[in-house]
Amino acid sequence: MQAYLASSRVVDFTHPAVAALARELGQGAADQEERVRRCFEFVRDQVLHSVDGGIRSPVTCLASEVLAQRTGLCYAKSHLLAALLRALGVPTGFCYQRLRLDGPDSPGCLHGLNAVWLEAHGWYRIDARGNKPGVAARFCPPREQLAFLPSLPGEQDLPGILAEPLPQVVAALEGASDLPSLLLQLPDWDGRAAAGDPACIA
């Protein structure tokens, strides 16, 4: 489990602002599930999904950047949620779905979310993308309630729980000059199983 508790360049929970928020959210929580719920709802509700915020939203990647700007795409929001939970000692990884966000004929792209290790239930996926009409993700273990359910041809849940974000996701976020250009070339899955990554479980 150590890989799912580690700080890294992207999951930078040692950053003072991230560490302070984690302490604030964890203070007085009755148990592990309460700590997870508080962190999940903060990122879901208090950090605006970049698309919902409009094309002038900054592109963020590192957990500390997401917190400072209070905005990010699904990937970036998952980075912040992982940082907050790991700071509180909750093993947290990264999961991805391949979706067609604009219908069956639209290009596929990756959607990022998290999995957390709950003492009472084991690995449990949560999606802090941010709710809107048609999207109603919740933390309600043991039942999963994610933002999206893959159903169109070519959509699927990618296998594995990664200890670090996919490299192509980080490269896309850090290489984008602005949000409109990033939305034209969102990262996609190249057909190789995420479970092939050495830092993940099947």
Side-chain angles (χ1 to χ4, degrees):
M1 283 294 178
Q2 287 307 307
Y4 299 93
L5 290 167
S7 178
S8 66
R9 188 179 69 85
V10 175
V11 188
D12 57 344
F13 66 72
T14 58
H15 187 282
V18 178
L21 177 60
R23 288 193 299 271
E24 177 184 335
L25 292 171
Q27 186 173 15
D31 54 23
Q32 184 204 44
E33 289 191 19
E34 177 66 12
R35 293 192 295 273
V36 174
R37 184 190 64 77
R38 290 182 184 183
C39 292
F40 167 75
E41 291 182 353
F42 176 89
V43 178
R44 185 193 65 183
D45 300 338
Q46 303 302 320
V47 178
L48 185 65
H49 189 281
S50 300
V51 172
D52 299 345
I55 61 172
R56 293 188 178 180
S57 298
V59 177
T60 55
C61 181
L62 308 186
S64 56
E65 294 175 340
V66 181
L67 179 57
Q69 298 292 335
R70 290 294 181 97
T71 189
L73 290 176
C74 58
Y75 324 109
K77 294 185 69 171
S78 75
H79 302 169
L80 175 59
L81 182 53
L84 293 171
L85 291 172
R86 289 184 185 186
L88 293 173
V90 180
T92 306
F94 300 93
C95 300
Y96 296 90
Q97 297 172 324
R98 186 176 192 265
L99 302 175
R100 298 184 185 276
L101 296 177
D102 296 313
D105 298 322
S106 64
C109 66
L110 289 173
H111 171 65
L113 55 152
N114 297 98
V116 296
W117 178 263
L118 300 178
E119 294 164 356
H121 306 290
W123 285 110
Y124 174 79
R125 291 185 301 169
I126 49 178
D127 190 341
R129 181 250 176 244
N131 290 342
K132 63 176 185 175
V135 175
R138 294 177 56 211
F139 177 73
C140 48
R143 182 171 61 91
E144 287 184 346
Q145 187 165 330
L146 305 178
F148 303 106
L149 178 65
S151 59
L152 296 175
E155 294 190 335
Q156 63 179 294
D157 291 310
L158 271 64
I161 299 170
L162 294 156
E164 285 295 317
L166 283 171
Q168 62 263 42
V169 167
V170 175
L173 294 176
E174 296 191 328
S177 58
D178 53 34
L179 182 61
S181 64
L182 176 57
L183 294 178
L184 291 174
Q185 49 186 359
L186 288 171
D188 196 3
W189 187 41
D190 62 7
R192 292 176 295 179
D197 187 285
C200 81
I201 65 171

